[in-house]
């Protein structure tokens, strides 16, 4: 697939982040234990939505260092989701199968974000090298 990415909605990681957020929201609304724990419910939903929020916000800056920084935050939110799901599993608020699936999805998304981070980091390094090389040429040719 060689289609050009023109907006954050084109990013597969953003699409997957939205899917995870939807599942988390539905879990938070349907699970009687999570419904009663307002703090856990809010934190769970906030962490889930922050993954796609950070991907979108970073992309919109149209600047590789900023995009990288926001991808780091999105990746961190994947870990936060897994931690909260592990706690919910520990408390026996959800079935092991459901919790394991959510953790695996979050872990896969985290890995995919990490792969994009490597590409963005390479681009940042290449841009710095080109800039340094260009500055060296400009100072030699007044």
């Amino acid at each position: 697939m060689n289609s050009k990415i023109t907006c954050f909605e084109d990013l597969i990681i953003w699409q997957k982040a939205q899917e995870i957020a939807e599942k988390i929201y539905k879990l938070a609304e349907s699970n009687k234990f999570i419904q009663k724990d307002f703090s856990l419910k809010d934190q769970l939903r906030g962490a889930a939505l922050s993954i796609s929020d950070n991907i979108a916000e970073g992309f919109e800056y149209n600047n590789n260092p900023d995009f990288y920084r926001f991808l780091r935050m999105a990746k961190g939110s994947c870990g936060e989701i897994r931690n909260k799901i592990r706690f919910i599993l520990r408390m026996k608020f959800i079935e092991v199968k459901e919790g394991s699936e959510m953790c695996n999805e979050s872990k896969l998304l985290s890995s995919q974000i990490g792969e994009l981070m490597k590409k963005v980091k390479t681009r940042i390094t290449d841009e710095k090298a080109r800039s340094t090389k260009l500055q060296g040429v400009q100072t030699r040719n007044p």
Side-chain angles (χ1 to χ4, degrees), residues 59-122:
F59 186 90
E60 289 297 315
Y61 279 110
N62 201 21
N63 176 304
N64 286 323
D66 285 333
F67 189 33
Y68 183 85
R69 183 169 53 92
F70 279 92
L71 288 173
R72 278 186 63 210
M73 288 186 272
K75 190 171 179 1
S77 293
C78 288
E80 186 178 356
I81 287 294
R82 283 197 320 276
N83 180 61
K84 290 183 185 335
I85 294 297
R86 296 271 183 227
F87 176 76
I88 291 167
L89 277 166
R90 189 179 189 104
M91 297 300 293
K92 299 184 182 357
F93 290 170
I94 59 175
E95 296 294 320
V96 172
K97 183 180 182 221
E98 182 180 19
S100 294
E101 286 173 4
M102 287 183 165
C103 282
N104 289 339
E105 285 179 46
S106 179
K107 196 170 192 175
L108 176 61
L109 179 57
S110 178
S111 175
Q112 292 168 329
I113 292 169
E115 288 302 312
L116 180 55
M117 287 173 68
K118 287 177 190 174
K119 291 177 183 177
V120 172
K121 187 74 161 180
T122 298

Side-chain angles (χ1 to χ4, degrees), residues 3-11 59-60:
S3 58
K4 184 160 172 68
I5 295 172
T6 59
C7 59
F8 66 81
E9 291 94 341
D10 294 337
L11 293 167
F59 186 90
E60 289 297 315

Side-chain angles (χ1 to χ4, degrees), residues 11-56:
L11 293 167
I12 292 170
I13 59 168
W14 177 84
Q15 295 167 15
K16 289 184 178 186
Q18 285 278 293
E19 290 170 11
I20 288 173
E22 181 181 359
K23 288 178 183 179
I24 294 290
Y25 264 70
K26 287 179 178 177
L27 171 68
E29 289 305 314
S30 65
N31 184 287
K32 65 181 180 180
F33 298 108
I34 298 171
Q35 282 179 339
K36 293 176 186 175
D37 188 335
F38 298 115
S39 176
L40 177 61
K41 179 180 173 182
D42 288 346
Q43 289 177 11
L44 189 61
R45 290 175 12 166
L49 198 52
S50 75
I51 300 169
S52 60
D53 283 346
N54 281 304
I55 293 167

